Amino acid sequence: MKKILLVEDDPNLGLLLQDYLQLKGKFDVVLCKDGEEGLRSFTKQNYDLLILDVMMPKKDGFTLGKEVRKINPQVPIIFATAKAMIEDKTQAFNLGGDDYITKPFRIEELLLRINALLKRTEKPGKQGDDNPTQFKLGSYTFDYTSQTISHGTGMQKLSTKEAELLRLLCLKKNEVLTREEALLNIWHDDNYFNGRSMDVFLSKIRKYLKDDPSVEIINVHGRGYKLLIN
């Protein structure tokens, strides 16, 4: 049974979500009423996914998400909030969020998003040559399964979307990865906002690979991106 941490300060909504996800989703859902309680629970237990309200007392959801990412860069995070501005959504993804749902929302939609995110982030089993999980990028080694980039004695942890995006680029090394292909594979929607989010993740990946000039991710005008390894 997958375990979910739900941090929601509205007691009625929190209990409603907890009951529904336990009954319909068959999840083990731990409910916390504020960010500080949520952080304490996260540090004491292992969770498969987090649902964080943004506007909460004591510690808001964005702050909590940022602190969670320092502890665990991989655990999937869904931010749930009534704030619908592009700037708020951008902040959510910049902090390492994997999804964002705007209140009011249908609980059925939340369950669909949870299931889709858990499916995408499940660690793959043994892979064949047609579906590799390790890639050599110049002096770097990218391990998709552990979501890490190794370089010399250092190691960089990646978020789930960073790992998925870099893997797509690796699978099409020296070929064009179109924006539409990347967005539909990872975000399942090629809208403008998701495109902006992808650009943020690409910028981070470029920084992770900047110490080896033989590795480059270039923009292909009007089409997408290309991973070049000289």
Side-chain angles (χ1 to χ4, degrees):
M1 181 181 292
K2 299 289 186 181
K3 194 166 188 176
I4 293 176
L5 174 62
L6 170 62
V7 188
E8 169 61 59
D9 70 321
D10 182 331
N12 294 326
L13 177 58
L15 289 172
L16 177 65
L17 293 175
Q18 183 183 38
D19 290 344
Y20 183 89
L21 294 176
Q22 290 184 152
L23 179 64
K24 296 293 185 179
K26 308 300 182 184
F27 299 117
D28 178 10
V29 181
V30 175
L31 174 62
C32 296
K33 65 181 182 297
D34 60 59
E36 289 186 357
E37 182 181 337
L39 184 61
R40 286 196 298 270
S41 182
F42 179 76
T43 57
K44 293 177 181 178
Q45 303 182 59
N46 293 320
Y47 289 99
D48 297 290
L49 182 140
L50 278 61
I51 304 170
L52 308 181
D53 182 27
V54 172
M55 300 178 70
M56 295 188 295
K58 297 185 180 180
K59 191 188 298 290
D60 66 87
F62 286 157
T63 301
L64 174 58
K66 185 176 181 179
E67 293 178 354
V68 163
R69 276 287 171 258
K70 293 178 181 178
I71 302 170
N72 186 327
Q74 286 85 36
V75 63
I77 298 176
I78 298 176
F79 287 105
T81 177
K83 301 173 72 174
M85 297 294 291
I86 287 292
E87 292 80 5
D88 299 317
K89 294 182 179 181
T90 301
Q91 183 179 1
F93 286 111
N94 284 342
L95 289 172
D98 297 279
D99 205 348
Y100 188 107
I101 190 166
T102 304
K103 296 178 180 179
F105 55 80
R106 292 176 60 86
I107 304 181
E108 295 87 351
E109 179 185 353
L110 177 62
L111 180 56
L112 289 172
R113 288 172 180 257
I114 292 170
N115 286 330
L117 186 53
L118 288 173
K119 184 178 180 180
R120 295 203 306 270
T121 56
E122 280 182 350
K123 299 302 183 186
K126 186 177 181 180
Q127 304 289 334
D129 292 339
D130 293 335
N131 197 18
T133 60
Q134 287 198 353
F135 304 88
K136 189 68 176 174
L137 308 176
S139 58
Y140 295 94
T141 300
F142 167 46
D143 189 321
Y144 173 70
T145 303
S146 64
Q147 298 182 188
T148 58
I149 297 175
S150 302
H151 181 255
T153 58
M155 179 179 291
Q156 173 67 52
K157 285 282 189 178
L158 304 182
S159 71
T160 297
K161 279 189 167 56
E162 288 169 353
E164 290 177 346
L165 184 54
L166 182 54
R167 183 171 183 270
L168 284 179
L169 287 164
C170 290
L171 291 173
K172 302 200 72 169
K173 182 178 66 174
N174 297 324
E175 298 178 14
V176 175
L177 172 66
T178 67
R179 287 180 65 85
E180 292 77 14
E181 181 180 356
L183 288 168
L184 292 174
N185 268 279
I186 301 173
W187 281 266
H188 306 287
D189 191 331
D190 61 351
N191 63 44
Y192 170 79
F193 171 68
N194 288 338
R196 288 279 302 276
S197 298
M198 182 170 68
D199 291 338
V200 172
F201 287 112
L202 273 170
S203 295
K204 291 183 178 179
I205 292 171
R206 286 186 172 111
K207 290 180 181 177
Y208 301 154
L209 301 172
K210 65 181 177 60
D211 289 335
D212 188 339
S214 70
V215 181
E216 186 180 11
I217 300 173
I218 65 170
N219 293 336
V220 180
H221 182 69
R223 297 184 63 193
Y225 310 94
K226 185 185 290 187
L227 172 64
L228 298 176
I229 302 177
N230 299 319

